[in-house]
Amino acid sequence: MNTRTIGIILIILGVIMMIYTGFNYITTEKVVDIGPLHVSHEENHPVQWSPVVGAILLGGGIVIIAFNKKSGTQ
């Protein structure tokens, strides 16, 4: 994988992380299971990150592509 591809991937990830600052996932845990009686509990797990992380990845991708063009390699 060349450096231009890595730079493009970092730019795309940076933009996505700046737009979407997190996501949630839900787990289901069985609390009671007695014969025909089933009780379960759903728990929400948020995963959050700062948009600054996305900006850093975006900047890093731009720098990688800029240095790749200056050196003349592809």
Side-chain angles (χ1 to χ4, degrees):
M1 189 180 295
N2 61 14
T3 56
R4 182 172 183 221
T5 305
I6 293 171
I8 291 171
I9 290 171
L10 286 177
I11 289 172
I12 292 170
L13 282 175
V15 169
I16 290 172
M17 288 181 76
M18 287 174 56
I19 294 172
Y20 299 105
T21 58
F23 62 93
N24 295 323
Y25 68 94
I26 299 173
T27 58
T28 304
E29 180 181 346
K30 193 179 294 186
V31 179
V32 175
D33 187 9
I34 302 173
L37 179 66
H38 301 284
V39 178
S40 60
H41 171 72
E42 290 184 351
E43 189 171 350
N44 188 18
H45 301 281
V47 177
Q48 301 289 324
W49 55 79
S50 173
V52 174
V53 175
I56 291 170
L57 288 175
L58 177 65
I62 291 171
V63 167
I64 288 174
I65 289 177
F67 279 130
N68 188 30
K69 286 184 179 179
K70 280 186 179 179
S71 66
T73 58
Q74 293 185 9

